[in-house]
């Protein structure tokens, strides 16, 4: 494989991000709403709150709460049947939310990544983790 400059690699990563972001406007949802649905499908039950989603994403509670409220209004999230004591409201995907995730735009990315060999996937994972970790320190 040809060697790329760091500038070219940065541009490829940015292009990938833009392509994924534009795919995120699917099925009448916005990218942030897709991210929230994925979070609530994978997070441990005790962490399925708007506050934990905000913490996970590194965002303020206000915008995340609006995203959650919209997903509840669309019937994709609902208040969990059993609630802990305290203020945090546990949420869960509805059947409609689980069905919606079958159309998740990131499934195409998962398919492309699955076509990489194991060594390539491991190298890709290490590289992305390092990039995310170092970028988070620059905030």
């Amino acid at each position: 494989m040809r060697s790329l400059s760091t500038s070219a690699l940065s541009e490829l990563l940015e292009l990938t991000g833009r392509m994924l972001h534009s795919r995120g406007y699917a099925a009448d949802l916005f990218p942030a709403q897709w991210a929230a649905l994925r979070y609530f499908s994978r997070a441990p039950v005790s962490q399925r709150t708007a506050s934990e989603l905000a913490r996970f994403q590194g965002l303020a509670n206000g915008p995340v709460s609006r995203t959650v409220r919209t997903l509840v209004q669309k019937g994709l999230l609902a208040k969990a049947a059993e609630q802990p004591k305290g203020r945090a409201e546990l949420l869960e995907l509805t059947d409609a939310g689980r069905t919606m995730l079958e159309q998740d735009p990131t499934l195409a990315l998962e398919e492309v990544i699955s076509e990489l060999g194991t060594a390539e996937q491991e190298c890709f994972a290490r590289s992305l983790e390092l990039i995310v970790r170092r970028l988070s320190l620059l905030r």
Side-chain angles (χ1 to χ4, degrees):
M1 181 172 178
R2 64 188 165 102
S3 178
L4 296 175
S5 68
T6 55
S7 178
L9 286 170
S10 296
E11 288 175 12
L12 281 174
L13 186 56
E14 181 185 21
L15 177 60
T16 303
R18 287 181 185 275
M19 290 172 74
L20 291 173
H21 189 76
S22 67
R23 284 179 166 266
Y25 294 95
D28 199 30
L29 293 180
F30 292 99
Q33 294 166 339
W34 282 112
L37 284 180
R38 284 190 293 274
Y39 174 83
F40 286 108
S41 74
R42 298 175 183 151
V45 173
S46 64
Q47 294 177 0
R48 292 180 187 170
T49 67
S51 294
E52 287 295 332
L53 171 59
R55 187 173 294 115
F56 172 77
Q57 294 180 323
L59 298 172
N61 281 338
V64 172
S65 293
R66 283 190 292 281
T67 295
V68 167
R69 215 172 19 255
T70 300
L71 292 172
V72 169
Q73 290 168 350
K74 288 178 180 260
L76 303 174
L77 282 180
K79 184 177 174 180
E82 293 188 29
Q83 293 293 320
K85 293 184 179 178
R87 291 181 2 138
E89 183 175 85
L90 288 178
L91 299 157
E92 61 187 9
L93 288 175
T94 63
D95 288 340
R98 282 186 282 284
T99 299
M100 182 64 79
L101 278 173
E102 293 172 8
Q103 302 174 55
D104 186 347
T106 63
L107 293 175
L109 177 62
E110 288 181 27
E111 184 177 331
V112 170
I113 292 172
S114 74
E115 294 169 359
L116 298 174
T118 302
E120 290 173 307
Q121 286 184 26
E122 290 171 359
C123 180
F124 185 56
R126 282 192 310 272
S127 297
L128 285 177
E129 288 170 351
L130 179 65
I131 290 167
V132 167
R133 194 170 36 252
R134 289 193 178 166
L135 283 176
S136 70
L137 296 175
L138 297 177
R139 287 185 178 185

